[in-house]
């Protein structure tokens, strides 16, 4: 489990060891169990110290998400489940930050599309012209 790597995107995987995990007591109600056990999990990924990311990827992630990606989970009662949720959230944030936005290529409407638009305008104009009261003369 500790030595495995987590796939972030098709080309990027990070070792599980690069995600630091911390545990603390969950907030909110929960009775005797919640007051004694540390079920809240916090996953921390230090982008700058990562060996799995290239320099270009590091720069992109730092620009979008900062130098440290942190996620907290205290949704579940079990520490194991919260740990998995926190790690999932870190991986999700990292994947989102690694995405490269495609540049939009401006396109022109086709000749047929222009003709359809003009024909529609002519029809609408005719409809409105027919609604007018007859010209006195």
């Amino acid at each position: 489990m500790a030595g495995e790597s987590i796939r972030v995107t098709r080309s990027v995987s990070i070792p599980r060891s690069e995600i630091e995990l911390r545990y603390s007591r969950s907030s909110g109600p929960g009775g005797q169990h919640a007051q004694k056990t540390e079920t809240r999990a916090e996953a921390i990924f230090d982008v700058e110290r990562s060996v799995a990311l290239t320099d270009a990827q590091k720069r992109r992630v730092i620009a979008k998400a900062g130098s440290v990606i942190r996620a907290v989970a205290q949704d579940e009662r079990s520490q194991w489940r919260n740990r998995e949720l926190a790690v999932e959230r870190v991986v999700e944030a990292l994947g989102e930050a690694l995405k490269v936005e495609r540049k939009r290529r401006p396109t022109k409407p086709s000749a047929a599309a222009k003709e359809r638009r003009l024909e529609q305008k002519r029809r609408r104009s005719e409809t409105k012209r027919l609604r007018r009261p007859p010209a006195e003369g």
Side-chain angles (χ1 to χ4, degrees):
M1 164 126 180
E4 71 182 80
S5 63
I6 304 163
R7 178 166 242 156
V8 181
T9 64
R10 264 187 283 160
S11 58
V12 179
S13 292
I14 57 168
R16 211 174 251 277
S17 58
E18 287 191 3
I19 298 177
E20 182 189 337
L21 293 163
R22 292 185 190 153
Y23 305 100
S24 59
R25 289 183 183 168
S26 240
S27 64
Q32 295 165 330
H33 173 76
Q35 270 114 44
K36 287 193 170 72
T37 54
E38 297 194 338
T39 54
R40 177 182 180 269
E42 183 178 11
I44 301 154
F45 178 71
D46 190 338
V47 179
E48 291 166 338
R49 285 195 339 210
S50 174
V51 292
L53 301 176
T54 65
D55 287 341
Q57 289 170 334
K58 285 180 187 179
R59 281 194 300 275
R60 188 177 307 128
V61 171
I62 289 169
K64 288 185 180 178
S67 62
V68 175
I69 297 176
R70 177 178 275 117
V72 173
Q74 56 182 5
D75 315 30
E76 304 287 333
R77 281 183 55 138
S78 84
Q79 185 190 75
W80 179 85
R81 185 69 188 120
N82 281 333
R83 178 181 67 218
E84 293 305 305
L85 282 170
V87 168
E88 267 176 43
R89 290 171 189 171
V90 162
V91 169
E92 215 172 89
L94 186 59
E96 205 56 42
L98 281 168
K99 271 190 188 151
V100 180
E101 291 297 318
R102 289 225 166 84
K103 195 168 184 272
R104 185 189 173 278
R105 238 190 247 144
T107 56
K108 290 180 181 168
S110 67
K114 282 182 186 173
E115 192 48 53
R116 280 193 304 269
R117 184 180 131 268
L118 292 173
E119 185 53 42
Q120 188 63 44
K121 284 174 73 123
R122 277 192 281 275
R123 266 194 230 116
R124 187 88 180 126
S125 166
E126 183 63 16
T127 304
K128 288 187 162 202
R129 191 183 64 75
L130 291 171
R131 285 183 192 156
R132 278 189 237 148
E136 299 207 15

